[in-house]
Amino acid sequence: EAIVTSEELGQDLEHVEVLQKKFEEFQTDLAAHEERVNEVNQFAGKLIQEQHPEEELIKSKQDEVNASWQRLKGLALQRQGKLFGAAEVQRFNRDVDETISWIKEKGQLMASDDFGRDLASVQALLRKHEGLERDLAALEDKVKALCAEADRLQQSHPINASQIQVKREELIANWEQIRTLAAERHARLNDSYRLQRFLADFRDLTSWVTEMKALINADELANDVAGAEALLDRHQEHKGEIDAHEDSFKSADESGQALLGAGHYASDEVKEKLTILSDERTALLELWELRRQQYEQCMDLQLFYRDTEQVDNWMSKQEAFLLNEDLGDSLDSVEALLKKHEDFEKSLSAQEEKIT
């Protein structure tokens, strides 16, 4: 009876389980003694049937034994119920404590001030954070289930209602806190990603501008018309590549302006990079235009040299014709010479137009 009337219900789940195991051993022993009680009843019934002279005493003892036995079984049933209830409450406490421990562990990761140093590291942190958010989404069902369990236990175990409510509120407080931390960190990582994406585009474009400037400045001026034509063609190809990058410059500018419009924490740096990018683009276009003018001037010069050389060659050939002292020795030969001279004068007029 001392076992079934004990008020000890355990300090935690492990302790309750030890008490339940002891009680199960007691129930096994109790079941073993039931046969003994039955034997006592059978023996008492036999004695009464045989009209034993101590019949009244026997009936009294039998009733006493049966009453004690029923009382013991009733107390055992109550003790079993109390231990079961204590196990439910302690299991709830353990599940809540484990959940809060997990939440705090993840909360330390959420509280990290590492938001990435470049695009690759930010992307890695975002993937990691999205994994944590998936874990949180899975945990939400468990939190809801524990809250529902708390409501049920408060109804079924009113004596523990206040302690269960404290645990419930502690769980909800930690859950709301980590959800807030997760949302804030995701927002900061997105801000960091947008910044690093912009900076990566900035580095790519400024690097390309440097390479393009070097390419435009690399060609020496040509020494003939064909070389000058090739330079102009190649220079026009450079313009095509510059034009092809216009969308990239526009996209980078829009990204930077969006960061400024959102009041990004790195707005000063973004503003500086936008200015540099605009200046670099302008300088590239000005360089291309300058070299275009130089190449066209070079083309004009080479055309002048070519035409001058052609005229010089023509005049050298015609000078030999004019120095010829053959004036003809017959009418036909003189007429032929006059015809040649007329052709020369026509050619001279044509060359004069080219020279002037």
Side-chain angles (χ1 to χ4, degrees):
E1 192 166 314
I3 295 175
V4 296
T5 57
S6 172
E7 293 298 324
E8 186 178 16
L9 296 175
Q11 302 300 315
D12 52 40
L13 183 60
E14 288 73 16
H15 191 188
V16 174
E17 287 174 345
V18 169
L19 293 175
Q20 282 182 315
K21 186 175 181 180
K22 287 182 178 180
F23 186 73
E24 287 171 3
E25 293 173 354
F26 163 76
Q27 285 181 309
T28 301
D29 187 48
L30 189 65
H33 279 77
E34 188 166 13
E35 184 62 30
R36 178 63 175 158
V37 173
N38 290 335
E39 290 175 357
V40 168
N41 279 320
Q42 289 174 2
F43 189 60
K46 181 181 177 183
L47 291 175
I48 293 170
Q49 190 176 10
E50 294 174 351
Q51 297 181 346
H52 194 282
E54 298 293 337
E55 181 178 343
E56 292 300 323
L57 179 59
I58 292 170
K59 285 183 178 180
S60 175
K61 287 294 184 182
Q62 183 184 19
D63 292 341
E64 184 180 336
V65 169
N66 285 330
S68 295
W69 178 250
Q70 292 303 321
R71 180 173 180 276
L72 185 60
K73 287 177 68 176
L75 290 172
L77 193 61
Q78 291 178 16
R79 175 67 175 166
Q80 184 181 33
K82 288 180 179 179
L83 286 173
F84 179 78
E88 280 192 315
V89 172
Q90 292 300 342
R91 189 173 292 108
F92 167 78
N93 289 339
R94 182 200 62 184
D95 290 346
V96 169
D97 289 341
E98 287 179 351
T99 302
I100 290 175
S101 177
W102 186 92
I103 288 174
K104 288 182 176 179
E105 178 185 337
K106 301 305 178 184
Q108 291 178 350
L109 298 176
M110 301 285 185
S112 170
D113 59 357
D114 181 10
F115 299 105
R117 300 170 304 282
D118 51 40
L119 190 59
S121 61
V122 174
Q123 288 173 324
L125 287 172
L126 268 172
R127 286 192 296 272
K128 183 178 180 181
H129 186 74
E130 287 165 359
L132 288 174
E133 287 184 320
R134 285 191 293 272
D135 291 343
L136 285 182
L139 184 67
E140 185 172 9
D141 290 339
K142 184 174 182 180
V143 172
K144 288 179 179 178
L146 286 172
C147 287
E149 179 69 357
D151 293 339
R152 186 186 71 81
L153 291 174
Q154 284 178 294
Q155 293 293 324
S156 60
H157 304 287
I159 193 171
N160 300 111
S162 59
Q163 179 266 324
I164 293 170
Q165 182 62 20
V166 168
K167 278 291 183 186
R168 185 180 190 277
E169 291 174 355
E170 183 182 1
L171 174 64
I172 291 174
N174 279 274
W175 173 245
E176 293 297 336
Q177 182 181 23
I178 197 170
R179 287 181 63 188
T180 300
L181 282 174
E184 290 175 350
R185 179 161 178 78
H186 203 156
R188 288 294 301 274
L189 284 172
N190 279 334
D191 286 345
S192 180
Y193 173 78
R194 289 191 298 150
L195 173 64
Q196 295 301 334
R197 176 75 271 173
F198 168 77
L199 293 178
D201 291 343
F202 168 81
R203 288 189 294 269
D204 289 344
L205 285 172
T206 52
S207 176
W208 174 81
V209 167
T210 300
E211 292 175 2
M212 186 55 64
K213 283 180 178 178
L215 201 59
I216 290 173
N217 279 320
D219 290 324
E220 298 290 338
L221 295 178
N223 295 316
D224 54 43
V225 173
E229 287 177 342
L231 278 178
L232 281 170
D233 289 342
R234 191 155 54 247
H235 195 59
Q236 195 58 43
E237 290 175 1
H238 295 334
K239 185 61 165 60
E241 187 173 352
I242 292 172
D243 290 342
H245 276 75
E246 277 302 300
D247 286 344
S248 297
F249 278 101
K250 182 180 179 182
S251 177
D253 183 72
E254 289 174 351
S255 297
Q257 295 298 338
L259 290 172
L260 295 178
H264 196 278
Y265 61 85
S267 290
D268 290 343
E269 182 182 5
V270 171
K271 191 179 297 183
E272 177 188 359
K273 293 292 191 288
L274 283 174
T275 301
I276 293 173
L277 201 58
S278 177
D279 291 346
E280 286 290 308
R281 176 180 172 277
T282 300
L284 177 62
L285 290 172
E286 289 176 349
L287 174 62
W288 185 88
E289 179 61 22
L290 174 64
R291 292 296 278 176
R292 183 192 65 79
Q293 293 174 6
Q294 291 174 344
Y295 290 152
E296 288 187 350
Q297 289 172 354
C298 175
M299 182 67 173
D300 292 340
L301 180 62
Q302 294 305 323
L303 286 171
F304 170 75
Y305 285 156
R306 184 194 65 182
D307 292 346
T308 300
E309 185 178 354
Q310 288 176 348
V311 170
D312 281 344
N313 290 336
W314 180 84
M315 286 192 296
S316 294
K317 290 179 181 179
Q318 299 307 317
E319 188 174 351
F321 169 75
L322 292 174
L323 292 175
N324 188 350
E325 295 182 357
D326 181 12
L327 298 177
D329 53 6
S330 65
L331 180 60
D332 291 340
S333 61
V334 170
E335 286 178 347
L337 289 172
L338 281 171
K339 180 69 172 63
K340 285 184 179 180
H341 194 77
E342 288 174 359
D343 291 340
F344 162 74
E345 287 180 335
K346 289 178 182 178
S347 177
L348 180 64
S349 297
Q351 293 296 330
E352 186 174 5
E353 289 179 5
K354 183 183 293 186
I355 294 171
T356 57

